[in-house]
Amino acid sequence: LFSLGGVVACVARLGEQVHGVAAIHLKLAFGVKDRIGRCTRLALLYRGELRYCDTPDALRRLLPGAIVVIPSGEPARAQEAVARAPGVSAVRVVGDGLRALVDDPARRIPELEQALRALPGKHGPVAAGEASIEDVFVALLQSDPPAEAGAP
């Protein structure tokens, strides 16, 4: 078994070589995100199965929609409202806000802002964001879930 420090060091070495494979745990360790951007190819491994392997740009093009970023003083409350909004296929809390996967940002941003105005607290403004590799991997696993063990 590898310690977290060992994994971070391994990813750092791969990034310095500007090639290799980085395995990302959904709760990324500090310092790993910076190294991922230096990799020329990334692989998504899930439960020991290689699911995707390609360049970061090619993986981003697989994202089924676009990312919008929503600053929020109460992200848990905002997450519920955003998740119920039309055209939103995924939403997750990141830091002091949300990242949502939407079908059409030009259409959904005004709708999301309107929904957030109905909530107490300060939320927004909603803006288009650049998809991170973490956004891509989460969306790909949701859109293409692995078969459960023992399933036909």
Side-chain angles (χ1 to χ4, degrees):
L1 295 177
F2 290 100
S3 69
L4 180 58
V7 171
V8 170
C10 179
V11 171
R13 283 193 305 276
L14 289 172
E16 288 166 2
Q17 295 172 13
V18 196
H19 68 279
V21 175
I24 302 174
H25 185 277
L26 293 182
K27 293 185 179 182
L28 292 170
F30 177 76
V32 175
K33 287 183 181 181
D34 296 338
R35 303 296 184 175
I36 290 169
R38 295 183 187 176
C39 293
T40 57
R41 293 186 64 79
L42 296 172
L44 171 56
L45 302 161
Y46 185 75
R47 295 185 177 172
E49 179 185 347
L50 177 62
R51 302 301 304 275
Y52 298 90
C53 183
D54 214 327
T55 66
D57 287 340
L59 290 169
R60 282 187 182 93
R61 287 192 296 273
L62 295 175
L63 190 69
I67 296 295
V68 295
V69 180
I70 308 161
S72 177
E74 297 183 47
R77 178 174 281 157
Q79 183 180 24
E80 292 176 20
V82 170
R84 289 190 305 266
V88 175
S89 57
V91 60
R92 61 192 177 92
V93 175
V94 177
D96 60 351
L98 305 171
R99 296 181 69 82
L101 181 62
V102 300
D103 58 355
D104 179 2
R107 179 177 176 191
R108 301 307 177 189
I109 287 173
E111 294 173 355
L112 291 171
E113 287 180 334
Q114 182 176 357
L116 292 168
R117 279 194 290 276
L119 297 178
K122 181 165 174 49
H123 312 282
V126 181
E130 183 177 333
S132 69
I133 291 298
E134 186 176 5
D135 292 325
V136 173
F137 283 3
V138 169
L140 290 176
L141 284 177
Q142 287 177 339
S143 67
D144 183 22
E148 293 298 320

